[in-house]
Amino acid sequence: MAGLTGKGSFGQRRTVAARAKGGLLVLGTFVVLLFVIELFNMVMLRSLNATFGLRPRSADGLLDIFTFPLLHANLNHLLSNSLPLIIFGFLVFLSGVRVFLTALAFSWLGSGLTVWLIGDGGVTVGASGLVFGLFSFLLVRGFLNRSWRQILLAVVLFMGYGSILLGVLPIGAGYISWQAHLGGAAGGVVAAMLLRHRPVTGPALRVPGA
């Protein structure tokens, strides 16, 4: 008698469906929160940016690492980040809550710390560091996991969004924080390395009846 049945396949599909619903709920809620903050920031005449935006190499700026991705320069800035944030975040969430939270946390901290350390000055706001972190995570994890399915997804994403990687270079407009992009991307790569599948050691696992 085989040790694996159709019930296992059905359970796996149900798990993926549950993750998909959870991912849409979490990412949708997060983006709605960003829009609520943006509207409030508009009413406050952008005063939140001056208070909670990230200021490089200042003691108070270390706390701003936890708030600056929640703020944006204007509505267009938020709109440009929203769709890729939902897409990349959703695709990462399909691998599980732990994977999503790890990738998000490293992208967030990597982006913030890089701006704090080597930022050009002024105040940095925006979730683009998270976008770059989640994107880089999706690009490299398949090669680390040796998963052809994840590699294929990475190729498709690179064909569609690969040009944004130019944003990690200091060649854009002066108001664009390449440091946030670079740090977020580095954080995503570190998360992928920490979460890579490790080979199982010990006696081989045998399935009864196989």
Side-chain angles (χ1 to χ4, degrees):
M1 183 177 72
L4 299 176
T5 68
K7 292 182 179 179
S9 178
F10 174 76
Q12 186 177 29
R13 289 197 299 269
R14 186 167 60 179
T15 299
V16 173
R19 287 178 178 175
K21 291 175 61 177
L24 289 175
L25 178 61
V26 170
L27 272 301
T29 301
F30 183 60
V31 170
V32 168
L33 174 63
L34 294 182
F35 274 94
V36 171
I37 294 174
E38 171 62 20
L39 292 175
F40 183 71
N41 201 11
M42 291 171 60
V43 172
M44 298 295 291
L45 303 178
R46 302 287 168 194
S47 62
L48 296 184
N49 289 358
T51 304
F52 299 105
L54 181 49
R55 293 153 291 173
R57 294 174 297 282
S58 68
D60 293 341
L62 287 172
L63 295 177
D64 299 330
I65 290 174
F66 301 100
T67 57
F68 85 100
L70 304 175
L71 303 165
H72 288 81
N74 50 53
L75 186 58
N76 287 335
H77 185 202
L78 173 55
L79 288 171
S80 68
N81 283 331
S82 296
L83 183 59
L85 185 61
I86 291 175
I87 293 174
F88 302 152
F90 173 77
L91 292 173
V92 174
F93 199 97
L94 290 178
S95 295
V97 176
R98 182 178 69 90
V99 172
F100 172 75
L101 291 178
T102 301
L104 183 68
F106 275 87
S107 302
W108 197 309
L109 292 176
S111 177
L113 288 173
T114 303
V115 172
W116 191 86
L117 288 170
I118 63 173
D120 293 333
V123 175
T124 299
V125 294
S128 57
L130 307 184
V131 171
F132 275 76
L134 295 172
F135 183 52
S136 67
F137 176 86
L138 291 168
L139 288 183
V140 304
R141 66 168 180 171
F143 297 95
L144 295 174
N145 294 334
R146 298 181 181 178
S147 167
W148 287 109
R149 182 179 301 178
Q150 292 177 353
I151 291 174
L152 178 60
L153 175 61
V155 171
V156 172
L157 289 175
F158 183 80
M159 291 175 63
Y161 291 95
S163 61
I164 71 171
L165 292 177
L166 292 175
V168 305
L169 302 175
I171 58 176
Y175 58 84
I176 296 176
S177 177
W178 62 269
Q179 297 93 337
H181 299 167
L182 177 63
V189 172
V190 171
M193 294 174 63
L194 292 175
L195 294 170
R196 70 184 183 276
H197 297 161
R198 292 174 173 80
V200 178
T201 57
L205 177 64
R206 299 186 181 278
V207 178

